[in-house]
Amino acid sequence: ESGVPTFRGSDGLWTVGSKNYTPQEMATRSMYENNPSEFLLWYFKRFVSLQDVKPNLAHFWLSDKCLITQNIDGLDAKAGNTKYIPIHGRIDKLVVYDDQEKVQHPFEASWSDIKEHIEINNENSLRKALLTKCNISKNMIGNTYTPMKGTSLKPFVLLFDEYYTENYRINQAINWMKNAQRIIFIGTSFSVNITNIALEIAMTNDITIEVVDPRPIKINYSNVEYHELTAVEYCQFRSN
């Protein structure tokens, strides 16, 4: 409803890769470290081009809920949720490149600065601008662009080969789930670690689960309700 493709659909942000790499190769810390220009270009084009999309009814309905989201688009913040946990980060934020466990304070990426001054279709200029913005310069030994810990900047996004840390408020998320009377999964494929953690907590504590999806994944658990609805349809149903 906001115009953002589903993550794993045929046109999804996870399905569509770059010219030379698959999304599984692109969305990694290894790619950022070894080919930062390709990494930054992919993130800029795939995600930042969506920065002007608006929240829909589901985001506003969720704005006063204890929400843990895998989405990195920041739409829940735009809808007014001030305490939600973006467990996979936010593409509109940057952090300093450092050890994963080091506590960070994400700050605004301000990608619009690049959009306003660089021709987006000129990939060479765009790559240089992104490298400059993220303080990534050439390594004097190998003459290749290499991020430097404590100096270079990285999108505040949990990558495929990274793990949950306090930067993503993982302990707070787990506490929310353990104290929940009901856990509602909206539009997830149950193929990432955070949903596995939530399912394990729910089953251990006999917490009621709701699964909201037009084609819901069936769970091997008795205390579950299925709603074959979109997020907006479900929110309208709950509002009535």
Side-chain angles (χ1 to χ4, degrees):
E1 286 82 354
S2 290
V4 181
T6 58
F7 201 56
R8 297 178 187 274
S10 59
D11 62 344
L13 297 175
W14 185 251
T15 307
V16 180
S18 70
K19 294 178 182 178
N20 302 309
Y21 301 96
T22 67
Q24 290 88 340
E25 294 170 318
M26 287 301 309
T28 63
R29 189 177 181 93
S30 176
M31 181 62 74
Y32 169 77
E33 292 171 338
N34 294 291
N35 196 341
S37 67
E38 189 77 13
F39 174 93
L40 292 171
L41 184 68
W42 186 71
Y43 265 94
F44 184 86
K45 286 190 171 184
R46 299 298 179 220
F47 294 99
V48 182
S49 62
L50 302 175
Q51 68 178 354
D52 296 327
V53 297
K54 306 297 183 185
N56 61 57
L57 175 64
H59 296 104
F60 290 109
W61 186 82
L62 290 164
S63 63
D64 61 351
K65 310 294 189 295
C66 289
L67 173 66
I68 303 167
T69 182
Q70 302 168 69
N71 295 340
I72 64 173
D73 51 35
L75 289 179
D76 293 289
K78 290 182 180 180
N81 195 321
T82 58
K83 61 181 181 180
Y84 84 102
I85 299 176
I87 200 70
H88 289 171
R90 286 178 53 171
I91 194 60
D92 57 349
K93 305 286 186 182
L94 289 170
V95 291
V96 176
Y97 167 58
D98 216 314
D99 295 330
Q100 293 188 58
E101 295 84 358
K102 184 170 183 179
V103 177
Q104 295 269 3
H105 300 285
F107 54 91
E108 293 295 328
S110 301
W111 297 113
S112 57
D113 294 346
I114 291 179
K115 288 183 67 176
E116 291 173 2
H117 299 101
I118 300 296
E119 173 55 50
I120 300 301
N121 294 324
N122 186 333
E123 287 198 355
N124 287 333
S125 296
L126 185 54
R127 288 173 189 272
K128 291 179 181 178
L130 289 167
L131 288 167
T132 298
K133 181 177 182 61
C134 292
N135 298 331
I136 300 174
S137 55
K138 282 189 175 182
N139 186 317
M140 296 299 292
I141 299 176
N143 200 33
T144 57
Y145 284 96
T146 305
M148 294 184 61
K149 287 185 177 181
T151 300
S152 299
L153 305 179
K154 168 188 171 293
F156 176 51
V157 175
L158 184 70
L159 299 172
F160 195 71
D161 53 353
E162 294 182 324
Y163 49 87
Y164 296 118
T165 66
E166 281 311 288
N167 287 315
Y168 301 96
R169 297 161 62 188
I170 184 60
N171 284 326
Q172 183 183 9
I174 289 173
N175 286 333
W176 278 9
M177 290 184 280
K178 286 182 176 179
N179 291 314
Q181 293 179 315
R182 178 179 298 263
I183 298 177
I184 304 171
F185 296 91
I186 301 180
T188 181
S189 61
F190 290 99
S191 57
V192 296
N193 286 338
I194 193 65
T195 50
N196 293 333
I197 293 170
L199 282 174
E200 182 178 350
I201 289 173
M203 292 176 181
T204 300
N205 295 283
D206 195 29
I207 298 171
T208 298
I209 287 177
E210 292 186 47
V211 178
V212 181
D213 195 285
R215 293 179 296 277
I217 302 295
K218 300 299 181 179
I219 305 299
N220 186 22
Y221 180 53
S222 59
N223 194 6
V224 58
E225 303 170 11
Y226 295 98
H227 303 275
E228 295 186 7
L229 303 169
T230 67
V232 167
E233 289 170 341
Y234 173 80
C235 296
Q236 291 173 327
F237 164 72
R238 281 298 181 202
S239 296
N240 293 331

PDB file of all heavy atoms in Angstrom, residues 160-192:
ATOM      1  N   PHE A 160      23.768  -9.822   6.054  1.00  0.00           N
ATOM      2  CA  PHE A 160      23.563 -11.264   6.012  1.00  0.00           C
ATOM      3  C   PHE A 160      24.578 -12.021   6.866  1.00  0.00           C
ATOM      4  O   PHE A 160      24.250 -13.040   7.463  1.00  0.00           O
ATOM      5  CB  PHE A 160      23.645 -11.724   4.553  1.00  0.00           C
ATOM      6  CG  PHE A 160      23.109 -13.099   4.308  1.00  0.00           C
ATOM      7  CD1 PHE A 160      21.754 -13.365   4.378  1.00  0.00           C
ATOM      8  CD2 PHE A 160      23.965 -14.139   3.987  1.00  0.00           C
ATOM      9  CE1 PHE A 160      21.255 -14.641   4.143  1.00  0.00           C
ATOM     10  CE2 PHE A 160      23.487 -15.421   3.752  1.00  0.00           C
ATOM     11  CZ  PHE A 160      22.120 -15.674   3.834  1.00  0.00           C
ATOM     12  N   ASP A 161      25.805 -11.531   6.933  1.00  0.00           N
ATOM     13  CA  ASP A 161      26.850 -12.217   7.690  1.00  0.00           C
ATOM     14  C   ASP A 161      27.154 -11.517   9.018  1.00  0.00           C
ATOM     15  O   ASP A 161      28.224 -11.695   9.594  1.00  0.00           O
ATOM     16  CB  ASP A 161      28.134 -12.359   6.858  1.00  0.00           C
ATOM     17  CG  ASP A 161      28.613 -11.033   6.288  1.00  0.00           C
ATOM     18  OD1 ASP A 161      27.884 -10.020   6.414  1.00  0.00           O
ATOM     19  OD2 ASP A 161      29.710 -11.011   5.693  1.00  0.00           O
ATOM     20  N   GLU A 162      26.205 -10.719   9.515  1.00  0.00           N
ATOM     21  CA  GLU A 162      26.336 -10.091  10.824  1.00  0.00           C
ATOM     22  C   GLU A 162      25.341 -10.740  11.793  1.00  0.00           C
ATOM     23  O   GLU A 162      24.556 -11.596  11.406  1.00  0.00           O
ATOM     24  CB  GLU A 162      26.086  -8.584  10.726  1.00  0.00           C
ATOM     25  CG  GLU A 162      27.146  -7.857   9.904  1.00  0.00           C
ATOM     26  CD  GLU A 162      26.915  -6.365   9.846  1.00  0.00           C
ATOM     27  OE1 GLU A 162      25.738  -5.939   9.805  1.00  0.00           O
ATOM     28  OE2 GLU A 162      27.906  -5.612   9.813  1.00  0.00           O
ATOM     29  N   TYR A 163      25.389 -10.332  13.049  1.00  0.00           N
ATOM     30  CA  TYR A 163      24.511 -10.929  14.045  1.00  0.00           C
ATOM     31  C   TYR A 163      23.903  -9.837  14.919  1.00  0.00           C
ATOM     32  O   TYR A 163      24.372  -8.703  14.964  1.00  0.00           O
ATOM     33  CB  TYR A 163      25.279 -11.947  14.906  1.00  0.00           C
ATOM     34  CG  TYR A 163      26.598 -11.453  15.459  1.00  0.00           C
ATOM     35  CD1 TYR A 163      26.652 -10.755  16.663  1.00  0.00           C
ATOM     36  CD2 TYR A 163      27.801 -11.689  14.773  1.00  0.00           C
ATOM     37  CE1 TYR A 163      27.852 -10.299  17.174  1.00  0.00           C
ATOM     38  CE2 TYR A 163      29.013 -11.245  15.275  1.00  0.00           C
ATOM     39  CZ  TYR A 163      29.029 -10.548  16.475  1.00  0.00           C
ATOM     40  OH  TYR A 163      30.226 -10.090  16.972  1.00  0.00           O
ATOM     41  N   TYR A 164      22.800 -10.207  15.610  1.00  0.00           N
ATOM     42  CA  TYR A 164      22.096  -9.250  16.460  1.00  0.00           C
ATOM     43  C   TYR A 164      22.977  -8.825  17.631  1.00  0.00           C
ATOM     44  O   TYR A 164      23.570  -9.657  18.312  1.00  0.00           O
ATOM     45  CB  TYR A 164      20.812  -9.875  17.017  1.00  0.00           C
ATOM     46  CG  TYR A 164      19.787 -10.218  15.967  1.00  0.00           C
ATOM     47  CD1 TYR A 164      19.391 -11.538  15.768  1.00  0.00           C
ATOM     48  CD2 TYR A 164      19.208  -9.228  15.179  1.00  0.00           C
ATOM     49  CE1 TYR A 164      18.433 -11.860  14.813  1.00  0.00           C
ATOM     50  CE2 TYR A 164      18.261  -9.545  14.217  1.00  0.00           C
ATOM     51  CZ  TYR A 164      17.876 -10.862  14.034  1.00  0.00           C
ATOM     52  OH  TYR A 164      16.942 -11.178  13.089  1.00  0.00           O
ATOM     53  N   THR A 165      23.058  -7.523  17.849  1.00  0.00           N
ATOM     54  CA  THR A 165      23.787  -6.969  18.985  1.00  0.00           C
ATOM     55  C   THR A 165      22.898  -5.927  19.656  1.00  0.00           C
ATOM     56  O   THR A 165      21.773  -5.669  19.220  1.00  0.00           O
ATOM     57  CB  THR A 165      25.096  -6.301  18.533  1.00  0.00           C
ATOM     58  OG1 THR A 165      24.778  -5.137  17.730  1.00  0.00           O
ATOM     59  CG2 THR A 165      25.966  -7.256  17.720  1.00  0.00           C
ATOM     60  N   GLU A 166      23.437  -5.282  20.679  1.00  0.00           N
ATOM     61  CA  GLU A 166      22.674  -4.243  21.368  1.00  0.00           C
ATOM     62  C   GLU A 166      22.429  -3.032  20.472  1.00  0.00           C
ATOM     63  O   GLU A 166      21.544  -2.212  20.750  1.00  0.00           O
ATOM     64  CB  GLU A 166      23.376  -3.822  22.651  1.00  0.00           C
ATOM     65  CG  GLU A 166      23.146  -4.802  23.786  1.00  0.00           C
ATOM     66  CD  GLU A 166      21.679  -5.151  23.938  1.00  0.00           C
ATOM     67  OE1 GLU A 166      20.899  -4.295  24.407  1.00  0.00           O
ATOM     68  OE2 GLU A 166      21.279  -6.278  23.581  1.00  0.00           O
ATOM     69  N   ASN A 167      23.207  -2.889  19.406  1.00  0.00           N
ATOM     70  CA  ASN A 167      22.927  -1.813  18.459  1.00  0.00           C
ATOM     71  C   ASN A 167      21.539  -1.974  17.846  1.00  0.00           C
ATOM     72  O   ASN A 167      20.918  -0.993  17.428  1.00  0.00           O
ATOM     73  CB  ASN A 167      23.989  -1.776  17.360  1.00  0.00           C
ATOM     74  CG  ASN A 167      25.301  -1.234  17.849  1.00  0.00           C
ATOM     75  OD1 ASN A 167      25.340  -0.226  18.544  1.00  0.00           O
ATOM     76  ND2 ASN A 167      26.390  -1.905  17.529  1.00  0.00           N
ATOM     77  N   TYR A 168      21.071  -3.212  17.786  1.00  0.00           N
ATOM     78  CA  TYR A 168      19.738  -3.500  17.238  1.00  0.00           C
ATOM     79  C   TYR A 168      18.733  -3.798  18.343  1.00  0.00           C
ATOM     80  O   TYR A 168      17.649  -4.286  18.071  1.00  0.00           O
ATOM     81  CB  TYR A 168      19.836  -4.658  16.239  1.00  0.00           C
ATOM     82  CG  TYR A 168      20.771  -4.336  15.097  1.00  0.00           C
ATOM     83  CD1 TYR A 168      22.105  -4.751  15.118  1.00  0.00           C
ATOM     84  CD2 TYR A 168      20.340  -3.566  14.023  1.00  0.00           C
ATOM     85  CE1 TYR A 168      22.971  -4.415  14.089  1.00  0.00           C
ATOM     86  CE2 TYR A 168      21.205  -3.233  12.986  1.00  0.00           C
ATOM     87  CZ  TYR A 168      22.520  -3.665  13.033  1.00  0.00           C
ATOM     88  OH  TYR A 168      23.384  -3.321  12.011  1.00  0.00           O
ATOM     89  N   ARG A 169      19.120  -3.513  19.584  1.00  0.00           N
ATOM     90  CA  ARG A 169      18.247  -3.615  20.761  1.00  0.00           C
ATOM     91  C   ARG A 169      17.686  -5.026  20.929  1.00  0.00           C
ATOM     92  O   ARG A 169      16.526  -5.229  21.262  1.00  0.00           O
ATOM     93  CB  ARG A 169      17.123  -2.574  20.655  1.00  0.00           C
ATOM     94  CG  ARG A 169      17.641  -1.137  20.670  1.00  0.00           C
ATOM     95  CD  ARG A 169      16.650  -0.146  20.121  1.00  0.00           C
ATOM     96  NE  ARG A 169      15.409  -0.089  20.887  1.00  0.00           N
ATOM     97  CZ  ARG A 169      14.333   0.609  20.477  1.00  0.00           C
ATOM     98  NH1 ARG A 169      14.373   1.275  19.330  1.00  0.00           N
ATOM     99  NH2 ARG A 169      13.240   0.619  21.217  1.00  0.00           N
ATOM    100  N   ILE A 170      18.546  -6.016  20.710  1.00  0.00           N
ATOM    101  CA  ILE A 170      18.093  -7.398  20.729  1.00  0.00           C
ATOM    102  C   ILE A 170      17.578  -7.818  22.103  1.00  0.00           C
ATOM    103  O   ILE A 170      16.556  -8.528  22.200  1.00  0.00           O
ATOM    104  CB  ILE A 170      19.214  -8.352  20.235  1.00  0.00           C
ATOM    105  CG1 ILE A 170      18.710  -9.798  20.167  1.00  0.00           C
ATOM    106  CG2 ILE A 170      20.464  -8.224  21.089  1.00  0.00           C
ATOM    107  CD1 ILE A 170      17.556 -10.029  19.244  1.00  0.00           C
ATOM    108  N   ASN A 171      18.227  -7.412  23.183  1.00  0.00           N
ATOM    109  CA  ASN A 171      17.768  -7.817  24.517  1.00  0.00           C
ATOM    110  C   ASN A 171      16.424  -7.187  24.863  1.00  0.00           C
ATOM    111  O   ASN A 171      15.572  -7.820  25.491  1.00  0.00           O
ATOM    112  CB  ASN A 171      18.811  -7.478  25.574  1.00  0.00           C
ATOM    113  CG  ASN A 171      19.975  -8.452  25.560  1.00  0.00           C
ATOM    114  OD1 ASN A 171      19.796  -9.638  25.287  1.00  0.00           O
ATOM    115  ND2 ASN A 171      21.178  -7.961  25.832  1.00  0.00           N
ATOM    116  N   GLN A 172      16.223  -5.943  24.466  1.00  0.00           N
ATOM    117  CA  GLN A 172      14.934  -5.302  24.687  1.00  0.00           C
ATOM    118  C   GLN A 172      13.843  -6.031  23.905  1.00  0.00           C
ATOM    119  O   GLN A 172      12.735  -6.257  24.421  1.00  0.00           O
ATOM    120  CB  GLN A 172      14.977  -3.832  24.270  1.00  0.00           C
ATOM    121  CG  GLN A 172      13.684  -3.094  24.553  1.00  0.00           C
ATOM    122  CD  GLN A 172      13.704  -1.649  24.079  1.00  0.00           C
ATOM    123  OE1 GLN A 172      14.623  -1.222  23.392  1.00  0.00           O
ATOM    124  NE2 GLN A 172      12.688  -0.898  24.456  1.00  0.00           N
ATOM    125  N   ALA A 173      14.140  -6.427  22.678  1.00  0.00           N
ATOM    126  CA  ALA A 173      13.172  -7.160  21.858  1.00  0.00           C
ATOM    127  C   ALA A 173      12.803  -8.488  22.511  1.00  0.00           C
ATOM    128  O   ALA A 173      11.614  -8.861  22.574  1.00  0.00           O
ATOM    129  CB  ALA A 173      13.740  -7.388  20.459  1.00  0.00           C
ATOM    130  N   ILE A 174      13.799  -9.198  23.014  1.00  0.00           N
ATOM    131  CA  ILE A 174      13.536 -10.484  23.670  1.00  0.00           C
ATOM    132  C   ILE A 174      12.692 -10.283  24.924  1.00  0.00           C
ATOM    133  O   ILE A 174      11.756 -11.056  25.189  1.00  0.00           O
ATOM    134  CB  ILE A 174      14.874 -11.187  23.996  1.00  0.00           C
ATOM    135  CG1 ILE A 174      15.536 -11.678  22.698  1.00  0.00           C
ATOM    136  CG2 ILE A 174      14.646 -12.348  24.960  1.00  0.00           C
ATOM    137  CD1 ILE A 174      16.937 -12.227  22.888  1.00  0.00           C
ATOM    138  N   ASN A 175      12.966  -9.239  25.696  1.00  0.00           N
ATOM    139  CA  ASN A 175      12.177  -8.964  26.900  1.00  0.00           C
ATOM    140  C   ASN A 175      10.727  -8.641  26.549  1.00  0.00           C
ATOM    141  O   ASN A 175       9.796  -9.071  27.246  1.00  0.00           O
ATOM    142  CB  ASN A 175      12.801  -7.821  27.700  1.00  0.00           C
ATOM    143  CG  ASN A 175      14.064  -8.239  28.427  1.00  0.00           C
ATOM    144  OD1 ASN A 175      14.234  -9.405  28.766  1.00  0.00           O
ATOM    145  ND2 ASN A 175      14.968  -7.294  28.665  1.00  0.00           N
ATOM    146  N   TRP A 176      10.532  -7.868  25.488  1.00  0.00           N
ATOM    147  CA  TRP A 176       9.165  -7.570  25.045  1.00  0.00           C
ATOM    148  C   TRP A 176       8.417  -8.870  24.738  1.00  0.00           C
ATOM    149  O   TRP A 176       7.268  -9.050  25.137  1.00  0.00           O
ATOM    150  CB  TRP A 176       9.195  -6.697  23.787  1.00  0.00           C
ATOM    151  CG  TRP A 176       9.389  -5.244  24.031  1.00  0.00           C
ATOM    152  CD1 TRP A 176       9.707  -4.632  25.209  1.00  0.00           C
ATOM    153  CD2 TRP A 176       9.271  -4.201  23.063  1.00  0.00           C
ATOM    154  NE1 TRP A 176       9.809  -3.272  25.024  1.00  0.00           N
ATOM    155  CE2 TRP A 176       9.546  -2.976  23.727  1.00  0.00           C
ATOM    156  CE3 TRP A 176       8.981  -4.173  21.710  1.00  0.00           C
ATOM    157  CZ2 TRP A 176       9.520  -1.750  23.070  1.00  0.00           C
ATOM    158  CZ3 TRP A 176       8.958  -2.949  21.049  1.00  0.00           C
ATOM    159  CH2 TRP A 176       9.219  -1.754  21.724  1.00  0.00           C
ATOM    160  N   MET A 177       9.085  -9.764  24.017  1.00  0.00           N
ATOM    161  CA  MET A 177       8.433 -11.008  23.622  1.00  0.00           C
ATOM    162  C   MET A 177       8.139 -11.901  24.828  1.00  0.00           C
ATOM    163  O   MET A 177       7.068 -12.509  24.916  1.00  0.00           O
ATOM    164  CB  MET A 177       9.290 -11.734  22.585  1.00  0.00           C
ATOM    165  CG  MET A 177       9.331 -11.026  21.233  1.00  0.00           C
ATOM    166  SD  MET A 177      10.230 -11.927  19.954  1.00  0.00           S
ATOM    167  CE  MET A 177      11.925 -11.541  20.357  1.00  0.00           C
ATOM    168  N   LYS A 178       9.066 -11.982  25.756  1.00  0.00           N
ATOM    169  CA  LYS A 178       8.866 -12.826  26.938  1.00  0.00           C
ATOM    170  C   LYS A 178       7.716 -12.324  27.803  1.00  0.00           C
ATOM    171  O   LYS A 178       7.050 -13.112  28.483  1.00  0.00           O
ATOM    172  CB  LYS A 178      10.157 -12.885  27.760  1.00  0.00           C
ATOM    173  CG  LYS A 178      11.242 -13.760  27.144  1.00  0.00           C
ATOM    174  CD  LYS A 178      12.469 -13.818  28.035  1.00  0.00           C
ATOM    175  CE  LYS A 178      13.504 -14.772  27.481  1.00  0.00           C
ATOM    176  NZ  LYS A 178      14.734 -14.823  28.333  1.00  0.00           N
ATOM    177  N   ASN A 179       7.478 -11.016  27.800  1.00  0.00           N
ATOM    178  CA  ASN A 179       6.433 -10.427  28.627  1.00  0.00           C
ATOM    179  C   ASN A 179       5.110 -10.258  27.881  1.00  0.00           C
ATOM    180  O   ASN A 179       4.144  -9.725  28.446  1.00  0.00           O
ATOM    181  CB  ASN A 179       6.890  -9.068  29.166  1.00  0.00           C
ATOM    182  CG  ASN A 179       8.013  -9.200  30.180  1.00  0.00           C
ATOM    183  OD1 ASN A 179       7.945 -10.036  31.066  1.00  0.00           O
ATOM    184  ND2 ASN A 179       9.050  -8.386  30.050  1.00  0.00           N
ATOM    185  N   ALA A 180       5.065 -10.708  26.640  1.00  0.00           N
ATOM    186  CA  ALA A 180       3.859 -10.518  25.830  1.00  0.00           C
ATOM    187  C   ALA A 180       2.782 -11.532  26.196  1.00  0.00           C
ATOM    188  O   ALA A 180       3.069 -12.669  26.567  1.00  0.00           O
ATOM    189  CB  ALA A 180       4.198 -10.639  24.347  1.00  0.00           C
ATOM    190  N   GLN A 181       1.522 -11.114  26.085  1.00  0.00           N
ATOM    191  CA  GLN A 181       0.392 -12.035  26.210  1.00  0.00           C
ATOM    192  C   GLN A 181      -0.003 -12.592  24.844  1.00  0.00           C
ATOM    193  O   GLN A 181      -0.651 -13.623  24.745  1.00  0.00           O
ATOM    194  CB  GLN A 181      -0.806 -11.316  26.841  1.00  0.00           C
ATOM    195  CG  GLN A 181      -0.574 -10.908  28.292  1.00  0.00           C
ATOM    196  CD  GLN A 181      -1.762 -10.177  28.875  1.00  0.00           C
ATOM    197  OE1 GLN A 181      -2.325  -9.284  28.236  1.00  0.00           O
ATOM    198  NE2 GLN A 181      -2.158 -10.544  30.080  1.00  0.00           N
ATOM    199  N   ARG A 182       0.384 -11.879  23.796  1.00  0.00           N
ATOM    200  CA  ARG A 182       0.046 -12.272  22.429  1.00  0.00           C
ATOM    201  C   ARG A 182       1.134 -11.733  21.501  1.00  0.00           C
ATOM    202  O   ARG A 182       1.594 -10.600  21.668  1.00  0.00           O
ATOM    203  CB  ARG A 182      -1.316 -11.686  22.048  1.00  0.00           C
ATOM    204  CG  ARG A 182      -1.794 -11.976  20.632  1.00  0.00           C
ATOM    205  CD  ARG A 182      -3.166 -11.347  20.414  1.00  0.00           C
ATOM    206  NE  ARG A 182      -4.160 -11.930  21.323  1.00  0.00           N
ATOM    207  CZ  ARG A 182      -4.988 -12.919  20.981  1.00  0.00           C
ATOM    208  NH1 ARG A 182      -4.950 -13.402  19.748  1.00  0.00           N
ATOM    209  NH2 ARG A 182      -5.837 -13.397  21.847  1.00  0.00           N
ATOM    210  N   ILE A 183       1.548 -12.545  20.549  1.00  0.00           N
ATOM    211  CA  ILE A 183       2.530 -12.109  19.554  1.00  0.00           C
ATOM    212  C   ILE A 183       1.894 -12.231  18.173  1.00  0.00           C
ATOM    213  O   ILE A 183       1.398 -13.294  17.798  1.00  0.00           O
ATOM    214  CB  ILE A 183       3.824 -12.942  19.617  1.00  0.00           C
ATOM    215  CG1 ILE A 183       4.507 -12.773  20.976  1.00  0.00           C
ATOM    216  CG2 ILE A 183       4.784 -12.540  18.491  1.00  0.00           C
ATOM    217  CD1 ILE A 183       5.766 -13.612  21.155  1.00  0.00           C
ATOM    218  N   ILE A 184       1.879 -11.124  17.441  1.00  0.00           N
ATOM    219  CA  ILE A 184       1.260 -11.093  16.120  1.00  0.00           C
ATOM    220  C   ILE A 184       2.351 -10.945  15.062  1.00  0.00           C
ATOM    221  O   ILE A 184       3.145 -10.000  15.102  1.00  0.00           O
ATOM    222  CB  ILE A 184       0.262  -9.924  16.009  1.00  0.00           C
ATOM    223  CG1 ILE A 184      -0.773 -10.017  17.126  1.00  0.00           C
ATOM    224  CG2 ILE A 184      -0.415  -9.921  14.640  1.00  0.00           C
ATOM    225  CD1 ILE A 184      -1.676  -8.797  17.229  1.00  0.00           C
ATOM    226  N   PHE A 185       2.393 -11.891  14.135  1.00  0.00           N
ATOM    227  CA  PHE A 185       3.338 -11.838  13.019  1.00  0.00           C
ATOM    228  C   PHE A 185       2.596 -11.314  11.790  1.00  0.00           C
ATOM    229  O   PHE A 185       1.605 -11.919  11.363  1.00  0.00           O
ATOM    230  CB  PHE A 185       3.892 -13.230  12.715  1.00  0.00           C
ATOM    231  CG  PHE A 185       4.709 -13.834  13.830  1.00  0.00           C
ATOM    232  CD1 PHE A 185       4.105 -14.620  14.805  1.00  0.00           C
ATOM    233  CD2 PHE A 185       6.074 -13.619  13.903  1.00  0.00           C
ATOM    234  CE1 PHE A 185       4.857 -15.192  15.826  1.00  0.00           C
ATOM    235  CE2 PHE A 185       6.830 -14.179  14.924  1.00  0.00           C
ATOM    236  CZ  PHE A 185       6.222 -14.962  15.886  1.00  0.00           C
ATOM    237  N   ILE A 186       3.065 -10.227  11.227  1.00  0.00           N
ATOM    238  CA  ILE A 186       2.402  -9.646  10.069  1.00  0.00           C
ATOM    239  C   ILE A 186       3.335  -9.700   8.864  1.00  0.00           C
ATOM    240  O   ILE A 186       4.392  -9.064   8.852  1.00  0.00           O
ATOM    241  CB  ILE A 186       1.978  -8.186  10.338  1.00  0.00           C
ATOM    242  CG1 ILE A 186       1.028  -8.122  11.525  1.00  0.00           C
ATOM    243  CG2 ILE A 186       1.317  -7.579   9.100  1.00  0.00           C
ATOM    244  CD1 ILE A 186       0.558  -6.718  11.876  1.00  0.00           C
ATOM    245  N   GLY A 187       2.952 -10.479   7.854  1.00  0.00           N
ATOM    246  CA  GLY A 187       3.659 -10.490   6.581  1.00  0.00           C
ATOM    247  C   GLY A 187       5.109 -10.934   6.680  1.00  0.00           C
ATOM    248  O   GLY A 187       5.990 -10.267   6.149  1.00  0.00           O
ATOM    249  N   THR A 188       5.378 -12.050   7.347  1.00  0.00           N
ATOM    250  CA  THR A 188       6.747 -12.545   7.418  1.00  0.00           C
ATOM    251  C   THR A 188       6.821 -13.962   6.862  1.00  0.00           C
ATOM    252  O   THR A 188       5.858 -14.724   6.941  1.00  0.00           O
ATOM    253  CB  THR A 188       7.287 -12.529   8.856  1.00  0.00           C
ATOM    254  OG1 THR A 188       8.640 -12.994   8.854  1.00  0.00           O
ATOM    255  CG2 THR A 188       6.463 -13.411   9.767  1.00  0.00           C
ATOM    256  N   SER A 189       7.976 -14.292   6.298  1.00  0.00           N
ATOM    257  CA  SER A 189       8.184 -15.626   5.725  1.00  0.00           C
ATOM    258  C   SER A 189       8.729 -16.614   6.756  1.00  0.00           C
ATOM    259  O   SER A 189       8.963 -17.770   6.433  1.00  0.00           O
ATOM    260  CB  SER A 189       9.172 -15.531   4.553  1.00  0.00           C
ATOM    261  OG  SER A 189      10.419 -15.046   5.006  1.00  0.00           O
ATOM    262  N   PHE A 190       8.966 -16.150   7.983  1.00  0.00           N
ATOM    263  CA  PHE A 190       9.541 -16.986   9.045  1.00  0.00           C
ATOM    264  C   PHE A 190      10.885 -17.587   8.604  1.00  0.00           C
ATOM    265  O   PHE A 190      11.189 -18.735   8.921  1.00  0.00           O
ATOM    266  CB  PHE A 190       8.574 -18.107   9.453  1.00  0.00           C
ATOM    267  CG  PHE A 190       7.362 -17.605  10.182  1.00  0.00           C
ATOM    268  CD1 PHE A 190       6.163 -17.438   9.516  1.00  0.00           C
ATOM    269  CD2 PHE A 190       7.430 -17.292  11.529  1.00  0.00           C
ATOM    270  CE1 PHE A 190       5.040 -16.968  10.184  1.00  0.00           C
ATOM    271  CE2 PHE A 190       6.310 -16.818  12.212  1.00  0.00           C
ATOM    272  CZ  PHE A 190       5.111 -16.653  11.532  1.00  0.00           C
ATOM    273  N   SER A 191      11.669 -16.802   7.895  1.00  0.00           N
ATOM    274  CA  SER A 191      12.940 -17.319   7.379  1.00  0.00           C
ATOM    275  C   SER A 191      14.149 -16.575   7.935  1.00  0.00           C
ATOM    276  O   SER A 191      15.246 -16.696   7.402  1.00  0.00           O
ATOM    277  CB  SER A 191      12.954 -17.232   5.846  1.00  0.00           C
ATOM    278  OG  SER A 191      12.740 -15.900   5.420  1.00  0.00           O
ATOM    279  N   VAL A 192      13.942 -15.789   9.000  1.00  0.00           N
ATOM    280  CA  VAL A 192      15.055 -15.072   9.617  1.00  0.00           C
ATOM    281  C   VAL A 192      15.117 -15.414  11.106  1.00  0.00           C
ATOM    282  O   VAL A 192      14.146 -15.909  11.692  1.00  0.00           O
ATOM    283  CB  VAL A 192      14.935 -13.544   9.423  1.00  0.00           C
ATOM    284  CG1 VAL A 192      15.029 -13.179   7.951  1.00  0.00           C
ATOM    285  CG2 VAL A 192      13.632 -13.032  10.007  1.00  0.00           C
TER     286      VAL A 192
END
